[in-house]
Amino acid sequence: MKRPKSVLRETPWQGQEFPNIEDDTVGFTFDPLRPIPHDSLLKMAKFLWEWGQEKDSHVRLCGEEGVDTSHDFFVRLLSKNGWLDDTNIDMGLYLVRERQKRYPNLVGSDWTIVDTLFQKYAAIDLKHMRLYGGKDDRPHSRALVKMVNGELHKWSKPWMSVKKVFLPYNCVRQKHWVTLALDLTTCEIFVYDSKLDLCRTQTLIKALQPVAKLIPMLLKEAGYVGGCPLRTTEWPVNRVTDVPQQVGGSNVKLVQLCADAIHLFRLKLAIDLLQGCCSI
Amino acid sequence: MSRGRSDEDTVKLKVRYNEDGVQTLFRVKRNIKLQKLMEAFCKKRSLDPRSMQFTFDGVGLKKNKTPEELGMVDGDEIDALVHVGGA
């Protein structure tokens, strides 16, 4: 039997004009813990409930550059402690990049962020490396080179113009997301992990070794020229230990604050995505 | 009269599955929606289409686009990537 065609749904905010304040942000501050307006929450709840009643429909997030998402996308995003998949993460990072582009004076401009495709393409690239017998002079994935040159993702910046690059990394065995920060001035990789007890430091460093080897080769191929001499061998990986923890940490207040904030961030992300623009 | 599709109307595309690196070759009409190709690949490899993401040169493929619209040529490679999740 032929599957019914998925229908495109409009969000309550679609077609709505938002005030353009990007030219004048004097007096504005970026507050990630700013409360969400009550009417926005109600509007979203009503929309998601109605959407849940209707099968085979999707919503296009963030215009043509975004993705078509199903109701499940928001169920994952808004379930307390629910797992996030790469689509959730990528759409969140899309808004982070947009925020940086629109409000560089509020969030800083000496960094950039790439999405989950980096890890996937790096894995494919590393498989090729084995096929090439580990030769360093083989061509790398075009997508990875484009990422380094800031040509792949909308709102992204060339790595040459920044000091740090952040990227999400999925520890596949542990099913856990961590953030990698590539420091382009010291040529080191820092790992920010909200569940330190899930994976031993040595195991994590070993898992990241292929990426640490790939980065200098990729920068070379992309023609990267930085302000500091580039380390041409494997970059050292350091695990940052003083980061807020999701659960099981010794500081209960910190854990509670972190958990509440995460739920707020998820709600904000859902509303921003449905509105089609980033909030500050 | 030949009933087969002419080479001008079709394009040969490779779909590479990121889990095993195996490439599957498809010959498709230039004006066919890529959703058909994605579904055919998933069926051939016994995969759940909801668990897959398709990219071309690092850009996510839209189901309603056609090879013609994306300027695809013979031998172009589409990546079939498995969605990953976590806490």
Side-chain angles (χ1 to χ4, degrees):
Chain A
M1 202 171 79
K2 209 172 181 183
R3 222 177 38 197
K5 203 178 167 189
S6 181
V7 182
L8 181 68
R9 274 185 80 91
E10 288 216 335
T11 74
W13 289 276
Q14 224 137 10
Q16 198 172 312
E17 287 283 324
F18 285 92
N20 185 5
I21 56 165
E22 57 194 274
D23 297 331
D24 181 16
T25 50
V26 178
F28 282 97
T29 50
F30 173 55
D31 178 9
L33 295 173
R34 198 189 302 277
I36 303 167
H38 190 63
D39 62 327
S40 296
L41 274 177
L42 285 178
K43 221 187 234 188
M44 179 180 71
K46 184 170 178 279
F47 171 72
L48 290 178
W49 186 82
E50 285 172 357
W51 188 9
Q53 307 302 306
E54 191 184 308
K55 280 182 182 172
D56 298 315
S57 64
H58 63 274
V59 164
R60 186 158 296 161
L61 299 177
C62 302
E64 281 299 307
E65 298 288 330
V67 289
D68 292 344
T69 49
S70 66
H71 189 258
D72 287 348
F73 175 95
F74 286 92
V75 172
R76 279 195 305 274
L77 184 58
L78 296 172
S79 302
K80 204 167 185 181
N81 303 323
W83 282 13
L84 297 178
D85 81 358
D86 41 16
T87 324
N88 297 117
I89 302 277
D90 288 346
M91 291 313 293
L93 298 181
Y94 174 91
L95 290 179
V96 171
R97 285 196 300 272
E98 184 191 2
R99 185 178 294 120
Q100 190 196 31
K101 185 77 177 177
R102 287 192 194 281
Y103 314 111
N105 53 339
L106 298 185
V107 295
S109 58
D110 61 348
W111 55 272
T112 191
I113 200 157
V114 293
D115 67 21
T116 57
L117 277 181
F118 186 92
Q119 184 184 358
K120 289 177 186 169
Y121 274 98
I124 293 171
D125 202 77
L126 291 160
K127 270 182 197 158
H128 279 193
M129 191 191 277
R130 280 177 216 124
L131 291 177
Y132 272 77
K135 282 180 192 164
D136 293 350
D137 55 350
R138 83 209 153 87
H140 291 275
S141 151
R142 271 189 299 177
L144 287 175
V145 174
K146 277 187 184 174
M147 278 185 217
V148 174
N149 290 324
E151 294 163 352
L152 195 65
H153 303 118
K154 195 180 179 186
W155 314 112
S156 67
K157 303 172 84 165
W159 292 16
M160 222 184 285
S161 66
V162 298
K163 289 179 181 164
K164 276 189 181 172
V165 179
F166 295 95
L167 57 106
Y169 185 87
N170 188 276
C171 303
V172 181
R173 277 187 70 185
Q174 290 81 13
K175 300 212 179 293
H176 175 53
W177 292 103
V178 297
T179 302
L180 306 185
L182 312 182
D183 191 324
L184 297 168
T185 55
T186 61
C187 298
E188 288 173 286
I189 300 174
F190 294 91
V191 187
Y192 292 85
D193 184 352
S194 63
K195 273 190 172 181
L196 286 168
D197 52 357
L198 202 62
C199 183
R200 285 172 51 207
T201 302
Q202 280 313 310
T203 313
L204 189 67
I205 289 174
K206 200 175 171 194
L208 288 168
Q209 240 175 1
V211 178
K213 278 182 191 164
L214 177 69
I215 298 291
M217 290 190 271
L218 204 53
L219 291 174
K220 190 182 165 199
E221 186 173 329
Y224 173 88
V225 182
C228 306
L230 194 66
R231 193 194 300 264
T232 52
T233 51
E234 182 182 326
W235 286 21
V237 178
N238 309 294
R239 195 181 209 188
V240 182
T241 49
D242 56 343
V243 285
Q245 294 297 290
Q246 272 175 257
V247 283
S250 55
N251 187 335
V252 176
K253 277 183 186 166
L254 178 66
V255 171
Q256 190 55 43
L257 172 70
C258 187
D260 289 347
I262 285 169
H263 197 55
L264 175 69
F265 296 155
R266 285 182 175 217
L267 277 170
K268 280 189 165 193
L269 176 57
I271 289 177
D272 280 358
L273 288 171
L274 290 172
Q275 286 185 340
C277 81
C278 61
S279 63
I280 52 170
Chain B
M1 199 173 112
S2 166
R3 291 179 63 209
R5 289 169 291 183
S6 77
D7 282 350
E8 287 148 34
D9 298 336
T10 60
V11 60
K12 284 175 194 157
L13 300 173
K14 289 182 258 181
V15 184
R16 180 175 55 185
Y17 183 37
N18 74 328
E19 290 290 287
D20 56 15
V22 173
Q23 291 179 335
T24 311
L25 189 70
F26 288 91
R27 187 172 170 221
V28 295
K29 282 185 184 171
R30 288 181 190 276
N31 59 358
I32 201 165
K33 286 192 177 164
L34 286 166
Q35 181 170 11
K36 290 262 181 193
L37 182 140
M38 296 174 191
E39 284 171 356
F41 173 78
C42 291
K43 199 173 173 187
K44 197 173 175 75
R45 298 297 311 265
S46 307
L47 301 166
D48 178 359
R50 288 171 303 178
S51 69
M52 300 302 296
Q53 173 188 23
F54 292 85
T55 63
F56 175 53
D57 256 359
V59 179
L61 280 183
K62 296 252 184 327
K63 289 175 182 174
N64 58 350
K65 293 281 179 193
T66 66
E68 196 166 38
E69 286 169 333
L70 298 173
M72 289 173 159
V73 294
D74 279 347
D76 273 346
E77 206 169 82
I78 291 171
D79 285 298
L81 311 169
V82 180
H83 280 304
V84 289

